[in-house]
Amino acid sequence: MSDVSLKHAILGFLELEPATGYTLQLRFDGSVGSFWTATQSQIYRELHALERDRWVEVEVVPQEGKPPRKIYALTSSGRTELRRWLAEPIGPTRIRDPVLLKFVFAAELAPELLDAMLAGYERALEERRVEYRERLEAKEIFDLARSERERELWKLSIENGLAWCDAQLAWAVRARRRLARIPLKKTRKKGKKS
Amino acid sequence: MSDVSLKHAILGFLELEPATGYTLQLRFDGSVGSFWTATQSQIYRELHALERDRWVEVEVVPQEGKPPRKIYALTSSGRTELRRWLAEPIGPTRIRDPVLLKFVFAAELAPELLDAMLAGYERALEERRVEYRERLEAKEIFDLARSERERELWKLSIENGLAWCDAQLAWAVRARRRLARIPLKKTRKKGKKS
DNA sequence: GGACCCATGTAAATAGTTACATGATTGC
DNA sequence: GCAATCATGTAACTATTTACATGGGTCC
């Protein structure tokens, strides 16, 4: 029960206001999407688990024709659990980055291919930076905030993503420069020894 | 079959030299550990799967008393698969960071607690930076490299981790400063309206 | 005698992704 | 008529973590 973040993220959103699984999904995509994602299957599964554990409770609002809206809200023990989780200390994340994994094994790849891959990586990072910048400007996200402090936290979380992009971009540029500098030995698979 | 990185990381290590599950684990911890981890359960399971798919083959070296060493090596189709994976383009990773998740929900947390948490985060990041720096100096990692180019790739991968630490540290410092600046409203849960 | 290294694994739980299935309403 | 939005979910698979189990050898 140490970190288990998805459960607690849901509790966190429900503290802001009660919501359905569907709107929770929109929250994930729209606000914490830059550093945490969740699919609907996950959200519905976790909501059921949270209900079983009495951390949330559900109010079913029937609708004609449509499936009923199930509005989930925090219970008091859910609120307690959220606070407990928030106060828990946390160490830096072990990042898990397939880009770097591919990179370390890329020695055998043709230099032009690797360079092109890094160039593509740069382009993708730039696009993502734009996306994050737009998110910083997006009023509708910050409207939910209940205080200046909360708004600042949300901004900072997006700025973190921006800082990540910048760091990665700078790294990619440096990597390309350094790799370009290395003299290429002609590969002679079956040549004689010098 | 698009990315599935663990399988390919194992193929990548085995291309450097044949190895047992145990030594693969040491490689993971010792060289790519800063951006990819694997537990022994995962490694042994994947080795079995790779063997089933004929991407690796095993030579069993019996030992007296001890369990036999199972030395895994790439097959030629494994080598082909590794090359295919390497040449595949890749987009930037979706980072998934519990630290930030906690951070966005921390508005209700007492300001001193949040500040202390960020201070702790800074300390942990500094420790990790030292760890990465040591890794950059570690000869035994780079001895396996087969070329100047490969050595450079490995260095750059560690430098990426270092850059991440630096970016996170700078962010944490900024976050604390910005949060300290916000005037605190006294919370009056049951006070009368002004 | 106990801890750590080498070396193998299994079991079970949790977390995450992808694909499928239903069905009304609204806008192009 | 088709796609998107609102709203629910299930099934199957893949990935990851944690804990357990075995057993000799070496070092303090």
Side-chain angles (χ1 to χ4, degrees):
Chain A
M1 212 178 277
S2 52
D3 58 300
V4 218
S5 305
L6 179 56
K7 272 192 176 52
H8 294 95
I10 292 176
L11 294 179
F13 279 124
L14 293 182
E15 205 205 18
L16 294 175
E17 60 178 15
T20 64
Y22 182 78
T23 56
L24 279 172
Q25 164 108 69
L26 296 182
R27 295 262 183 280
F28 270 100
D29 293 348
S31 82
V32 298
S34 51
F35 50 86
W36 205 273
T37 56
T39 57
Q40 8 105 294
S41 342
Q42 259 182 298
I43 290 170
Y44 287 117
R45 202 198 314 124
E46 291 306 333
L47 280 173
H48 295 320
L50 288 169
E51 197 188 353
R52 187 199 57 211
D53 296 342
R54 307 289 153 130
W55 288 346
V56 304
E57 56 192 15
V58 64
E59 189 199 349
V60 182
V61 182
Q63 298 180 107
E64 301 158 20
K66 299 180 198 173
R69 304 187 74 212
K70 294 188 172 180
I71 302 173
Y72 291 88
L74 277 193
T75 61
S76 66
S77 68
R79 191 163 283 111
T80 308
E81 173 57 24
L82 177 61
R83 299 236 190 290
R84 191 200 59 73
W85 174 73
L86 283 173
E88 213 174 58
I90 195 164
T93 315
R94 285 277 157 202
I95 22 168
R96 183 176 281 279
D97 193 339
V99 176
L100 288 175
L101 200 55
K102 195 169 284 195
F103 187 80
V104 286
F105 294 120
E108 296 294 284
L109 204 61
E112 321 84 66
L113 273 181
L114 180 56
D115 191 73
M117 194 181 281
L118 284 171
Y121 187 53
E122 285 173 23
R123 271 195 307 279
L125 282 167
E126 269 151 17
E127 272 169 41
R128 185 164 295 180
R129 257 181 69 181
V130 171
E131 186 193 310
Y132 288 172
R133 280 206 179 281
E134 281 166 0
R135 194 167 287 196
L136 261 185
E137 304 303 321
K139 275 269 165 47
E140 69 277 13
I141 295 179
F142 297 101
D143 282 350
L144 254 178
R146 295 160 301 179
S147 65
E148 180 57 24
R149 185 173 173 76
E150 191 153 66
R151 206 159 10 244
E152 197 68 357
L153 287 172
W154 294 358
K155 263 190 197 152
L156 280 163
S157 78
I158 299 172
E159 289 176 26
N160 185 289
L162 230 37
W164 179 81
C165 284
D166 290 342
Q168 288 295 309
L169 261 171
W171 174 84
V173 169
R174 182 149 45 105
R176 287 174 77 193
R177 208 161 38 213
R178 290 246 297 270
L179 290 172
R181 220 176 267 158
I182 298 173
L184 290 178
K185 287 157 203 144
K186 281 159 202 150
T187 48
R188 43 190 151 98
K189 275 177 186 163
K190 293 181 181 198
K192 45 185 175 285
K193 298 232 175 72
S194 60
Chain B
M1 213 176 277
S2 51
D3 57 301
V4 217
S5 304
L6 179 56
K7 272 191 176 52
H8 294 95
I10 292 176
L11 294 180
F13 279 125
L14 292 182
E15 205 205 16
L16 295 176
E17 60 177 14
T20 65
Y22 182 78
T23 56
L24 280 172
Q25 163 108 69
L26 296 183
R27 295 264 183 279
F28 271 100
D29 293 349
S31 82
V32 298
S34 50
F35 50 84
W36 205 274
T37 56
T39 58
Q40 6 106 293
S41 344
Q42 260 182 298
I43 291 169
Y44 286 117
R45 189 167 15 83
E46 291 306 336
L47 281 173
H48 294 319
L50 288 169
E51 197 188 352
R52 188 199 56 212
D53 297 343
R54 309 288 155 129
W55 288 347
V56 303
E57 57 192 11
V58 64
E59 188 200 349
V60 183
V61 182
Q63 297 179 106
E64 300 158 21
K66 300 179 197 172
R69 305 187 73 213
K70 294 188 171 179
I71 302 173
Y72 290 89
L74 277 193
T75 62
S76 66
S77 67
R79 190 162 285 112
T80 307
E81 173 58 24
L82 176 62
R83 299 236 189 291
R84 191 199 59 74
W85 173 74
L86 283 174
E88 214 173 56
I90 195 164
T93 314
R94 284 276 157 206
I95 23 169
R96 184 175 280 279
D97 192 339
V99 176
L100 288 175
L101 200 55
K102 194 169 285 193
F103 187 80
V104 286
F105 294 120
E108 295 294 285
L109 203 60
E112 321 83 67
L113 273 181
L114 180 56
D115 190 73
M117 192 180 283
L118 284 171
Y121 187 53
E122 285 174 21
R123 271 196 307 279
L125 282 166
E126 269 152 15
E127 272 169 41
R128 183 163 297 182
R129 257 181 69 181
V130 171
E131 188 192 308
Y132 289 174
R133 278 205 182 283
E134 281 166 0
R135 194 166 288 195
L136 262 186
E137 303 302 320
K139 275 269 165 48
E140 68 277 15
I141 295 179
F142 296 100
D143 282 350
L144 254 178
R146 295 159 301 179
S147 65
E148 179 58 24
R149 184 174 174 76
E150 190 153 64
R151 208 163 3 250
E152 197 68 357
L153 287 172
W154 294 358
K155 265 190 197 150
L156 280 163
S157 77
I158 300 173
E159 288 176 29
N160 184 290
L162 230 36
W164 179 81
C165 285
D166 290 341
Q168 288 296 308
L169 261 171
W171 173 84
V173 170
R174 181 150 47 108
R176 287 174 76 192
R177 208 161 40 214
R178 290 247 298 270
L179 290 171
R181 221 176 266 159
I182 298 172
L184 290 178
K185 288 156 201 144
K186 280 158 203 150
T187 49
R188 41 188 155 101
K189 276 180 184 161
K190 293 181 178 197
K192 44 187 176 294
K193 295 232 176 71
S194 60

